[in-house]
Amino acid sequence: MRSLADALLYGIIDLGYVSAENAPGVLEKLIAGGIDMVQLRGKNHSIDELSLLAEKLLRLTSAAEIPLIVNDHAQIAQRVDVQGVHVGQDDESIAAVRERVERPIIVGKSTHSVEQATAAADEGADYIGLGPIFSTPTKPDYPPIRLSQIHEVRERVSIPIFCIGGIKLKNLGQVLAAGAKRVVIVSGLLQANDVVGYTHGCKKLVADPRGVISGL
């Protein structure tokens, strides 16, 4: 299984954008494009529905040796051998997730400020999502954070930091120039006309941002 430390491009199978029926096919394209890890997110779906889908997706991610993370629900990780759980600020604590699952897993946490980022690291998160970097319909209640906060968080947090929120290929260079090393891209990947090509383009920039940054 690919190490979390080696993950640069994090995709999300968001059932607000992709149907459960089409999710495995989309995941195959993300994997072909070079995604390093992926999360299953379905805000309006039941634990049973998400668990069944996680089983299908896990077959694909296991073959590709990339981690599969589930959003919000530690119960899914109790039923399916996914590699991790991602929690928000209002979800269960990291310690509670680990206790519930009872096996070694990755636990990530969403953060929306420097203070939340450092608190998540102190709480024992394996990685954090930092954002939203830009306005995004998936996080309407959170105003975008300043790009300058990316560098500040990197100075204060040693665990992997994945910048998230409104990031697309067209603005990815700005995020990398601000100091990001890892990113989460959602709608940009899922709504691309050529998912494989778009994913590959994003991965290429994140893996070697020097040309992009020097050209800004």
Side-chain angles (χ1 to χ4, degrees), residues 112 114 130 132-133 143-153 178:
H112 313 291
V114 175
L130 177 67
I133 303 300
I145 67 172
R146 300 185 307 277
L147 286 171
S148 61
Q149 288 193 39
I150 296 174
H151 179 73
E152 186 175 354
V153 171

Side-chain angles (χ1 to χ4, degrees), residues 15 17 19 29 32 46 49 88 92 107 116 136 151 160 168 175-176 195 211 214:
L15 299 183
Y17 291 101
S19 70
K29 294 177 181 179
S46 70
E49 291 173 322
E92 286 185 290
V107 183
Q116 288 183 359
T136 172
H151 179 73
K168 302 181 188 297
V175 182
L176 299 174
V195 174
S214 64

Side-chain angles (χ1 to χ4, degrees), residues 132-208:
I133 303 300
F134 304 107
S135 296
T136 172
T138 60
K139 294 288 185 181
D141 298 329
Y142 293 100
I145 67 172
R146 300 185 307 277
L147 286 171
S148 61
Q149 288 193 39
I150 296 174
H151 179 73
E152 186 175 354
V153 171
R154 284 192 60 210
E155 288 289 306
R156 297 176 61 177
V157 174
S158 60
I159 60 176
I161 302 159
F162 289 87
C163 293
I164 184 172
I167 301 174
K168 302 181 188 297
L169 188 56
K170 65 183 180 182
N171 59 26
L172 179 55
Q174 297 177 50
V175 182
L176 299 174
K181 300 297 183 185
R182 300 174 171 86
V183 297
V184 181
I185 302 181
V186 187
S187 64
L189 298 180
L190 300 180
Q191 296 181 321
N193 292 327
D194 175 7
V195 174
V196 176
Y198 194 97
T199 305
H200 178 74
C202 293
K203 177 64 175 294
K204 184 177 179 181
L205 290 188
V206 181
D208 187 11

Side-chain angles (χ1 to χ4, degrees), residues 16 19 53 61 101-102 123 126 139 156 168 172 194 208 212 216:
S19 70
L53 182 54
T61 56
V101 176
E102 297 183 326
E123 189 186 348
D126 293 301
K139 294 288 185 181
R156 297 176 61 177
K168 302 181 188 297
L172 179 55
D194 175 7
D208 187 11
V212 178
L216 292 177

